[in-house]
Amino acid sequence: MSHSGRSDPPGLWRDADFRRLWVGQTVSQLGEHASLVILPLIAVLTLDADAGRLGALRAVGQMPILLFSLLVGAWVDRWRTRTVMVLADLGRAVALGPVAASGLLGLLGLPVLYAAAFAVGTLSVFFDVAYQASLVRLVGRDQLVRGNSALEGSRSAAQTGGPALGGMLVSLLSAPVAVASGTLFFTLSFLSIRRIRRDEPVPQRLERPARVRRRISEGLRFVAGDPVLRTVGLASAAFQFSFAAMMTVYLLFLTRELHLSGTAVGPALAATGPGALLGSLLAARLPARFGHGPVLVSAAVLGDGVMLCVPALHGPAGVTVPSLIAVNLVFGAFGQLVNVTVMAVREAVTPDGMQGRVAATITFAGMGLTPVGSLLGGFLAQEWAPRTALLVTAAGLMVSPALMALSPLARLGRTLPAPGTHRCGPRRSAPERGSARGAAACGAAVGLLLALTLVLSFC
């Protein structure tokens, strides 16, 4: 709760600049995550791409996270976040243009999709880091949790609902029109964010390369030395790696194993949207009542675990589609609860001057392995039956809650800690450092063992 008398939601929503940020961030995230499905579905349904090429396309789009996240984090901390976001939106709208034009001219091929996926992925890194750092520059710290809940809620809803929208656009429209619709989202975001009027201090922009490297190193050391942020990074890495692999197999499983059309896939995936809305409502109440740690672990177990039901589905669309809707509803609700709570924890424990670098470092840790995961998913789908490959990759999702359960993150209470109040400082003793590293190693080992046991039990 705020101590300044501005903690009620209307106080935040009366802020016109915050509303502009929220609208712009919401439609930009929706366009980004819809494009992540539109381009692969075009490759599968229009260009008849096999599992290997699909995995490669997804990996190309995710590669910028690994290549540029840390550099962008150091860079964003020295620039106006509004400037970064509007340029990223404009660039992504332009990047999708050649795909639509090639489709209209009958020249669409995988190289065009690869180029567009890499360009959109690169600019999305800039936008995502900038919007995460923008909130602390736009609102007071007393409104940070509520503001973050709104932004993270819309991001998570877009992350789950965007793929459903992308699937529906591809099934209902031609490929060029579906791609062009993505440019509309980025254009709307550009128009909204550029209207933000609040002055934002202009940091020094020019730095020597050595200085940039030092700032990147500071972000890495800060996250690695903080037991809560370190766990967030490890758990995020485990989840995103397995999720990237699973989604590559998932798209093939739905269309080629269950024989669902794009029209049927869209509503099934769209169930994550109402689920995300439910998760946002739960995130506003459950952590303050039961504690942030217990809520995080429980929600991750339930949300990730439900995906193990998907490989068991058989039968006609009348049976499988309602089942997929139920699974995605649960996945969206508890996944949203985890995302909102984690973001609130991360922002609460991070000093203002480190927000951009911490966001980029955790993005790098969490998303950096997604290209490898996508390639692995494509490889498994080629070497094994889609059902077996989906089971293996879904089981891998359980590593993330195992890491959280065996870490200090699980012990967070009802009140969010302030920056520096929970950290093991840089002068920890050797036994303390060993204990922290041992806990992380133990969590990783137990999580991997759990996943391996599940995999072997079904292979």
Side-chain angles (χ1 to χ4, degrees):
M1 294 292 292
S2 167
H3 299 286
S4 65
R6 297 183 65 195
S7 60
D8 294 334
L12 183 67
W13 291 105
R14 282 198 299 266
D15 187 332
D17 282 336
F18 174 77
R19 292 199 305 270
R20 291 163 184 152
L21 172 65
W22 179 79
V23 169
Q25 179 258 2
T26 299
V27 294
S28 179
Q29 293 287 320
L30 193 60
E32 175 185 343
H33 291 287
S35 298
L36 290 177
V37 168
I38 289 174
L39 297 180
L41 278 180
I42 288 175
V44 173
L45 300 177
T46 303
L47 303 179
D48 198 27
D50 59 19
R53 289 186 174 89
L54 178 62
L57 176 61
R58 287 178 53 81
V60 166
Q62 295 157 347
M63 188 66 69
I65 299 170
L66 179 63
L67 297 178
F68 305 127
S69 290
L70 297 178
L71 180 62
V72 169
W75 191 71
V76 165
D77 273 342
R78 311 301 295 168
W79 278 71
R80 282 178 173 157
T81 54
R82 172 183 172 274
T83 301
V84 176
M85 288 187 286
V86 296
L87 291 177
D89 277 331
L90 184 61
R92 288 184 291 183
V94 172
L96 290 177
V99 180
S102 298
L104 289 173
L105 297 174
L107 302 175
L108 184 62
L110 283 174
V112 177
L113 294 182
Y114 287 145
F118 186 81
V120 171
T122 298
L123 293 168
S124 294
V125 172
F126 280 88
F127 185 93
D128 291 346
V129 172
Y131 99 76
Q132 291 181 55
S134 67
L135 186 63
V136 294
R137 305 183 190 182
L138 191 64
V139 303
R141 184 167 285 275
D142 61 317
Q143 295 178 317
L144 187 59
V145 173
R146 291 189 183 277
N148 173 75
S149 178
L151 292 177
E152 180 61 13
S154 61
R155 185 200 69 84
S156 297
Q159 190 175 38
T160 52
L165 175 62
M168 294 182 69
L169 290 174
V170 172
S171 64
L172 298 176
L173 306 173
S174 64
V177 177
V179 173
S181 65
T183 67
L184 176 62
F185 290 110
F186 295 132
T187 302
L188 291 175
S189 177
F190 168 83
L191 294 174
S192 180
I193 293 175
R194 72 186 296 268
R195 295 180 61 237
I196 294 176
R197 294 290 178 257
R198 188 161 304 164
D199 290 335
E200 186 177 343
V202 184
Q204 180 183 352
R205 296 184 180 181
L206 298 177
E207 293 183 334
R208 299 188 309 272
R211 172 69 173 165
V212 174
R213 287 196 296 269
R214 185 171 72 83
R215 291 177 62 79
I216 292 173
S217 179
E218 287 173 354
L220 287 168
R221 287 199 303 269
F222 186 85
V223 172
D226 186 298
V228 169
L229 295 176
R230 183 174 61 241
T231 301
V232 170
L234 289 172
S236 179
F239 173 82
Q240 295 295 347
F241 174 80
S242 298
F243 185 73
M246 186 194 74
M247 281 304 296
T248 301
V249 182
Y250 195 27
L251 293 174
L252 293 169
F253 177 79
L254 295 180
T255 57
R256 297 182 179 176
E257 187 76 12
L258 298 184
H259 306 291
L260 299 179
S261 65
T263 306
V265 170
L269 295 178
T272 53
L277 177 60
L278 175 61
S280 295
L281 297 176
L282 295 175
R285 299 178 179 274
L286 295 186
R289 182 173 181 180
F290 298 106
H292 290 77
V295 168
L296 274 174
V297 174
S298 301
V301 169
L302 293 172
D304 296 344
V306 74
M307 297 306 295
L308 289 168
C309 300
V310 177
L313 295 179
H314 294 80
V319 174
T320 57
V321 171
S323 300
L324 287 169
I325 290 174
V327 167
N328 285 316
L329 182 69
V330 174
F331 179 74
F334 289 106
Q336 175 79 329
L337 178 56
V338 171
N339 289 336
V340 173
T341 307
V342 162
M343 185 68 78
V345 170
R346 179 188 69 75
E347 289 190 348
V349 304
T350 303
D352 290 353
M354 293 289 293
Q355 289 286 342
R357 281 169 286 174
V358 168
T361 299
I362 291 179
T363 298
F364 174 80
M367 302 293 290
L369 290 177
T370 54
V372 182
S374 294
L375 291 173
L376 175 63
F379 172 79
L380 293 179
Q382 282 185 317
E383 298 297 319
W384 297 345
R387 196 176 300 276
T388 303
L390 184 60
L391 177 62
V392 170
T393 54
L397 295 176
M398 300 306 295
V399 177
S400 180
L403 288 172
M404 288 192 284
L406 296 168
S407 76
L409 188 63
R411 297 193 293 272
L412 289 179
R414 297 182 178 91
T415 303
L416 289 171
T421 60
H422 67 291
R423 299 188 75 232
C424 296
R427 298 189 181 186
R428 290 175 295 172
S429 65
E432 289 173 323
R433 291 194 301 269
S435 176
R437 292 170 182 168
C442 179
V446 172
L448 290 173
L449 181 61
L450 172 62
L452 182 60
T453 301
L454 288 169
V455 169
L456 293 177
S457 65
F458 288 97
C459 293

